[in-house]
Amino acid sequence: MKEILMLAAICVPLLGAFLIPIFGKAITKLRNALALIFVLTALLCSILLLPYAVADNDAVIHIYLPLGLSIGFHADALAVFMAITSTLVSSVIVLYSFGYIKDYPNQNEYYLMICLFIGAMMGLVYSSNLILLYMFWEITSFCSWRLIGFYRDRTALIRANKAFITTVLGALIMLIGFIGIYAETGTFDLSVIKGYTLPSWIVAVILVGILTKSATFPLHNWLPDAGVAPSPVTSLLHAAVLVKIGLYAYVRLFVVELNIDKVFETIVPVIAAVSALLSAGAALKATDIKRVIAYSTISQIAFILLGLSCGVEVGLAGGLLYILAHSIAKGGLFLCAGIVEHALHTKDMSKMGGLIKTMPVTAISCLFCALSVMGIPPFGGFFAKFLVIDEIVSAGQITLGIIFIIGAIMTVLYLARMFSLVFLGEEKAKAHEGTKVMLASVIILAVLSLFMGILINLPTELVKMVGGLQ
Amino acid sequence: MRALQYVSMLFVIIPLTALIVCSLIKRSRQNAAFYLLSAFAAAQVGLALYGLMLFNSLNISEYSFGFHITQAVADVFTLKPASLVMLLCIGLVSFTSLLVAYKTMPANKKLSYLRLLSALIIGMNGIVLVNDLFTMYLFIEIIGISSFVLISTTKTEEGLESAFIYLVMSSLASIMLLTGLAFIFMRTGSLKFEYLIAINNTSAEVSQNALTYLSYILVISGLLIKTGAVPFHSWLPDAHQSADTSVSVLLSGIVIKAAGVYCLMRVTDIFGNLYAIRLSLAILGVITIAVGAMFALHQNHFKRILAYSSVSQMGYMLLGISAGGILGFIGTMLHIFNHAVFKSTLFTNAAALHEEVHTLDIDKLGGLQKQMPITATTSLIAFLSTAGIPPLSGFWSKLLIIIALWKANFIGFAAAALVLSIFTAAYFLRLQMNVFWGQTPEHLQSIKEVKGTIRFAEIMLTIITIAVGLGFPFILLFLEASGII
Amino acid sequence: MEVIITICLGFMLVFAIVAVMNKSLLKSAIALALVSIFLGVILYLLTAKWAAVFEVSVCSGLVTVISISAISLTHEEKEQLQKKYMDKRRMAMLPYLLILCGFLLVFIVLTAKIQLPYDQLAEPSTETLSEALWDNRQADVWGQIIILLTGAFAVVTLFKEA
Amino acid sequence: MINALFDIISNNMLLIFILLPAFVGLIMLFIRKRFAIQLAVLLLSSIINLIAAYTLFASESFSYVIPFASFGLDIVLVSNELSSLFIMLVAAMFLFVCLYSAFYLKHKKQFSVFMLYMYISLAMLNGAILSDSLGIMLFFWEGLLCTLLGMLLINNTSKPKAAIKALVLSGTADLLLMLGIILTAYQAKTMLINEITPIKIQGFVPTLGFFCMLFGAIGKAGSMPFHSWIPEAANDATTPFLVSFPGALEKLAGFYLAVVVTTKLYDLRPHSTISNIVMTIGVLSLLFAVSMALIQKDMKRLLSYHAISQVGYMVLGIGSGLPIGIAGAVFHMLNNAVFKSCLYMCAGSIESQTSTTDLKKFSGVGKCMPITSICFTICGLAIAGVPPFCGFFSKELLFDAALESNIVFYIGALIGAFMTAVSFLKMGRAAFFGKLKLPEEKKISESEAGMLVPMIALSIICIIFGVFNTLPLDTLINKGLMFEKSFSGWPHSILLVVISLVVLCIAVLDHLYGSKKSGSALNAADHIHYAPVLKTIYSIAERGYFDLYNQMNALFNVFAKICVMFERAVSFTYDTIAVNAALLPGKVMRRYHNGSLGRYLFAALCGVVIIILIFIAVLV
C-alpha cells in the first residue's frame, strides 16, 4: 500500500504530465483540472504516506541494478515532509495559473512542464539513489528552462538559457562528486553508503551543485534574472520547489545520510551569511518588484542554509520549518506580485503606489506573506526564524547569529519598502483586482502563513518527527 | 550455430546484393531499388538484433566465418557483439538516410546515391567484420571513396571544395595508415588481429620498439583523421555542411564512427591497450570535446553546428576508448549507438527544415515550434540526449564512460569531460533559441510541418532515444545476465 | 638495386612536389600518377609484386581517373578557381609542409636505425595466386573489387550526371 | 457540572487572558453600526478582564504549562507577583483607553477594525506578560508589531511613513530582543524565566545579550534610539492610537520586560559600567526628547516627545540597578501611563472639537472646554513633577537613585525636569488660557461625556497616587517587585525636594521671561530654541540626524550600494566575462579555420606531433 502511494506520488504527475497536451488539444478546462488533480494526487499521497514515515515504517522500493545503479525510492519522514511542502504550495500555484495564464499561448506546454516539474520534485525527494537524484535534478532544470522562457521574447529566452546553463553546470560539477563517491564506495545507493564520511573535496564539489540550485552567492545570479517568467512560474521556481531542491539535497546528503568534515560547519554558514547579507542589500535597491522578492529569496535561502549547516541537530528542524514557512509565504508574495503585474503591466515599483485602495485583498495577502517572511508573529516565519537563530547560537556561532539578525533587520527594511512603494502612498496608476481564482490562491497562502504561526504545534511536531528529534 | 552462420553471412551478402542490384537496375526503376535498399537496411537492423540474441543464448564471445569454397580457406571475418551493435547502427542510420534521401535527393541523383550507399554499407559492414588490419584498411578506403563521391554529389562549388578537402585529408589518413601497417608488418610478419594480440603479449622485443611505436602513432593518427578528432577534424564540418542532408546523416551518424572510432577501439585493443595510446586518446578526446563545442558555439548554419557537435561527441568516444576496460567499452559502444540515433534525428530535423523553410541559416529561422511541433520536439529531445540530460540515452553512455575513466584513474579527464558537456548544452540552447523557440517572424508564419518519410524518421529515432534512455536498466540487466559486467 | 631504388625515390619526391606546386590541376594529377608509378616500381624491386600491381592499378589508375574527372568538372571555372587559390595563397604552405614531413620521416627512420630490408628479401612466394588471394586474403579481394566498382560509380556520378 | 466548568475555567484561567480578548476582538469585527452593543461588549469584556486580573493579583502565584509545540516552545504561563501586577495595570489602562477610544471613534468606519486591533493587542500583551517561556513571550511581544502596523495604517494608507518607520524601528528592536533572548537562553541553558538565575554581565556574550534584551524592552517603550516613529505617528495616526499605545500600553509592556531583564535575567549591579551606560542612554533619551518637545508647536507632537522623554526617566531609574531606582521607575511608568494617556485624551478632546491640535491655529479653548482644561492642568502638573501630584513622588525617587549613582545623571534629570515644566507651561497656557482663537469660525463646546469620564478618572488617579502614594508604592509595586523597603510617603531627603522645587520655580520664571520676550505664550521657549549653540543642534535634529531610522536607512543604503556594485560585478562576470570567455577560444580558432588546406594539414601534423610527444613523455 505505502509503496503504491509513493509510486503514485511520483508517477502521477511525472507521467500524467504527458497526457496534458493530448487533452489540451481538445478541452482546455479538462486539461487544467487534470493538471491540478495530478499535483493534488501527489500531495494527497504524500500526506497519506506521513503516518507510515512517522511510525518508521517507511515505504521502500529497491530494484537491483548492476554497477551500483539501483532504482531506489525511500519515503522517510524528511522526504515526505519536503514532498508535502512543495506540493502544497505547488497546488495553489497551479490553481493560480488558471487565472494568470489563461490568455497566453503555449498553455499545453506550460501545464506539461509544471506537472513534469512537480513530478520530478517528487521523484527527487523520494529517490534514494544518487543517480536518480541527479536525474530528477536535471529534469527540474529542464522544466525551469522551458518555463522561464514561457513568454518567448528574446530576453526571456536568454535568461532561461542562463538559468539552465548555470544550474546544469552546477549539477554536472555535483555529478563529479557523485562519481567520486561511487569510486570510493562502488555504489550510488544512498542506503548502502549511509554513514560514510565524505572526503572534503567531494563535499566541496557537491556543494557547488547545491548552491547553484538553491541560488547562493556567488552562484545565484540566474535567479533574479529568471524573474522574466510568468509569476506562477517564478513562484514555483523561486519559492516553492526549485530553490528548495538544493536545500533538500544538502539535508539529505550531508545531514541525514552522509557525514562531512567539521570544517564545513563553518564554511557553509559563512558562505550563507555572505549570501544573505549581499542579496538583502541588493533587494534594498532593486526597483523591479519581482527582483526584490527574488533577492529576498536568495537571502532567505541563505538563512535556511545557515540553519541547516550549523551542525546542530535541532538546527535541522529550524531549517525545515523555515523551508515550509518560506515556501508558503514567498510563494504568496510572488503570486501577489503577479497579480499586480497582471493589472499594471509593469514590474517597476516606482510606477506603482496606493494599490491597497484598488486591490485590497491582494494587498492584505501580500502583507500577511511579507510579515511571515519578515518573521513577525503570529505568522509562520517567526518560529522558523527563532528556531534557526536559536540553533545557530547554541552551536556557539554568536557572530553568525548577529549577522542573521542584521539580515533579518534588512529583510524588514526591504519588504517594508516594497510594500509601501507598491501598496501604500499616493495612487499612481489605475488598477483592478485580480480574478477570483488568483485571489483565492493568494488568500490560501496568506491564511496558511497565518495559521502556520498560530498553530505552530502542528508543523513543529511534523518537523520534530522528520528530524527524528526528541 | 547454424543460424548464426547464416546471419553473419547475410551481413556481407545483403549489401553485396544491393550493390549488384543497384548497378544493374535502370534509372526508370530507381524507386524499386530505393525500396529494396530500405528493406535491406531495415533487415540489417533486425538481423543485428537477432544476432545479439543468438550470441546471448549461445553464450559465445565471437564467431569467425568466411565464404568457403575450398576447405583451405581461412575465416576472414569475425563477428562479435560489438560488431553487431555497429551493424545495428549501420542499418539504422542507413535506413534513416534513405528515408531522408527519399525526399531530399534530386531524382537524377538518386540512383548514384543508392549505388554509393550500398558500397558504403559494404565498406562499413566489412570494417566491423574484418579480423585483419590490412583488410580493415581496404574497407576504410571503400568508405573513403564512396563518401567522397557522396559528398560531391551536390556539385556545388562548396560541395566539391569540401569533397576535395576530404579527399586530401582522407589520403593523408591512408598514407599514415598504410605506412603504419607496413611497419607493423615489417616487425611481425602478419596483420591478423589474433596474431598481433598474441605477439604483443608474448614478445617484448616486438612490442617495445621505436618502430612499433612509430607505427602505432601513424595508425592512430590516420584513424583519428577518419574520426574527425581535433586537430584532425578540419574536413568534417565542411563535408557535413555542403553534402546533401541524407549524406550528412550517414557521415555523422555512422561513417566517422565505423571508419574512425570503432577501428580505433579495435586497434587500441590490438596494440595491447598501451598507456601511451590511451593517454593520447584521452588528451585528444578532451581537446576534441572542448574545441568542437567551442567551434559549434560560433556557427550559424544548422548542419555546421551539428557537424561540430559530432566532433565534440567523438571526444567522448575517444575518452571511452582511452578508459579501456569493460565499462569503457560498453560506454563507448552505447555512445556510438546513441550518438548515431540522436545525431541522425538532428540531421533529419535539418532536412525537415530545409524542405520546409529552404534555409538552414539559424539567423533566418525562429519560433518554429508552433509551425513545426514534431520537428521542434524531436530536436529538443535529441538535444537533451546529446547534452546528457537524464533519463535520455546520451546521459547513460556518458555516465558509463566517465565512470570507466574514473576507474582507469583518468580522474581529471573525467571531470573535464563532465564539465565540458555544458558547452554541448550551450550551443544547443543557442540553436533551440534561434530556430524553434522565440517568436515567429512574419515570413515564417505559413510554414507547415514536414510530412512523409522525414516525419516518420524523426518520430522513429526519437522513440528509440527515449526508449534506450528509459530502458537503460534493462540493458544493464541484460549485460549482467550475459555475464559481460 | 639500391641505386635504382634511390633514383626512383628521388623521382617520386620530384613528381610529388610538382603535383602539389603545379598551377595546372591537370598536370598535377598526371604528376601524381607518375608518383604512383614510381612507387609501383619500387615495390616491384622489393619483390612485393602484388603490391606493385595494385599500386599501379588502383592508385595511378583509379585515383588519377577520379582526380581528372573532378578537375574536368571544375573546368569551366578553372581560371577563377586558380585565381582564387593563387590570390589567397591558400596552398602556399602545403609543399613546404610536405617536404618537412618527408624529412621528418626520413629523420625518424634514420635515427631509429631502420634499414630498408632489401638485403634480406623474402624468398619468392611459393603459394599460387589463388592461394594467396582467395584462401588467405579473400576479404582483400572483395575489397579491391568493390573499390574498383566504387571508383567506377564515382566516375559515372561525377561525369554523367553533371 | 458547574463545578466541572468552574474547574476548567480556573485551570485555564491564564489562557483566558489571551483567548478572551482575541475572541472579543473578532466579535467586534462583526458588530457594525450598533454603538450601544459595541459599547456594552467593550465595557463588559474590559471589566471582566480587569476583575480577572485583580483576582490574579490577589491570589497566590502559580504556573500553568500547556504542551504546545516542540523545541522549547511549550506555552508556560505564570502568574507571579510581577506579572499579575502588570496584568492588572494593563487591564485598568485598557479599560480607560478603550472607553475613550470607543467614544472618539463612535460611528466612524474604522471603529470595529480599530477595536479588533486593540483587543488583539491586549491578548498579545497579556500573553507577553504572562508567559514564562522567553520564546513564547517573544511571540506575543513581536506580535504587537502587527497590530501596531495595522493601527497606523487605518485610513492612512496614503501617508505610510509613520507606519513603515514604526515597523522598521520596532521590528529592529524586536529582532534585537530575539537575539537577546536567544543569547540569554544560550547562557542560562533554559528558556524559562523562573529557572534563570540572574546572569552576571561579564564578557562579550552576556553584555550583548543584556543590551539586546534591554533594547528590545525599551524599544517597545519608545526610548531613544527607537523613538522616532512616535512623533511621526502623532502627525498621521488617530488619537486613540496615541492614547493607547505610545501613551499607555506599550510603556507598560516595555517596562515589564525591562524590570524582568534587570532583576530576573541579568544581574545588573549598581555603579557598574553597564549600569552607567544604561543610565546614559536614559539621560540622553530624556534630554533629547524633552528638548525636542520644547520647540514643538503641535500638541500631539509635543506630547509624543514627552512620551519619549519620560521613558528616559524610567530607563534612568532601571539602569541605576538600585531598588529605589527600580521602584521609582515602575512608579513613574505607572504614573506616566496615567497622565500621559490623559494628556493625549485631552489633545484628542480638543481635536474632536477644533479638528486640529496645531497650537498655531488655535488657542485659549479653556473657557469653552473647562473639564478638559482642568484635566489637562492636573496631568500637566503631574508630569512636570509638582507636588502633591503623582509625578512628583516618582520623580523624587528617580532623582534619588540618579544622585546615588552619579551626580551627572542627577543634573541631567534636573535639566529634563526643568524643560518638561517649561514646555508644559508653554503648551498649557497657549492652548487653554489666553484669547480664544479657532481655525474656523465655529462654535466649540465640551466633548461628550463618554470621552470625559476616562479623562476625569485618570486625573483623579493622578491626585490619588500623589496624595496617597502608599497605595501604588506599597500595595502594588512593592508587592510586585517583592521589595522589603517601603518607598512611600514624603521623600526622605528634604534637600532634593527643595532643589526640585527651585528648578520648577526657575522654569516658571523662564517661561515668564520667554513669553514676555516673544510676546506670546506659544513662543515662550523660542529663546532656548534660538540660543546660539542650541540653534545648530536643533536644526540638525530637525533634519532627522538623530533618527535611528534615517541613520539605519543611510547605513543600509551605503551597504546596499556596495551590494549592488557587487551584484553588478557578479552579473557582469556571468553575462559578459563568462560568455566571452566561452566564446573567445572559438572566435580565435575560427580564424584559422578558413578553408586553407595547408592549414588543415598543418593542424593534422600538429596532432601527430602531439601524439608523438605524448608517446615520448610516457615511454621515456
Side-chain angles (χ1 to χ4, degrees), chain A residues 74-152:
Chain A
H74 182 182
D76 62 355
L78 173 66
V80 174
F81 172 79
M82 283 302 292
I84 292 175
T85 308
S86 49
T87 39
L88 181 68
V89 185
S90 306
S91 330
V92 178
I93 291 169
V94 172
L95 185 70
Y96 176 88
S97 308
F98 295 167
Y100 190 91
I101 220 85
K102 65 173 190 282
D103 300 325
Y104 294 107
N106 302 318
Q107 286 187 53
N108 284 342
E109 186 191 298
Y110 175 82
Y111 286 108
L112 164 72
M113 287 299 158
I114 292 267
C115 277
L116 190 61
F117 191 97
I118 292 159
M121 177 68 185
M122 290 297 99
L124 196 146
V125 295
Y126 287 127
S127 60
S128 68
N129 183 299
L130 290 172
I131 288 297
L132 272 184
L133 189 113
Y134 175 78
M135 177 173 112
F136 290 117
W137 187 289
E138 292 288 46
I139 294 177
T140 57
S141 295
F142 164 68
C143 294
S144 59
W145 172 61
R146 285 313 268 198
L147 287 171
I148 293 169
F150 177 77
Y151 287 136
R152 301 284 198 269

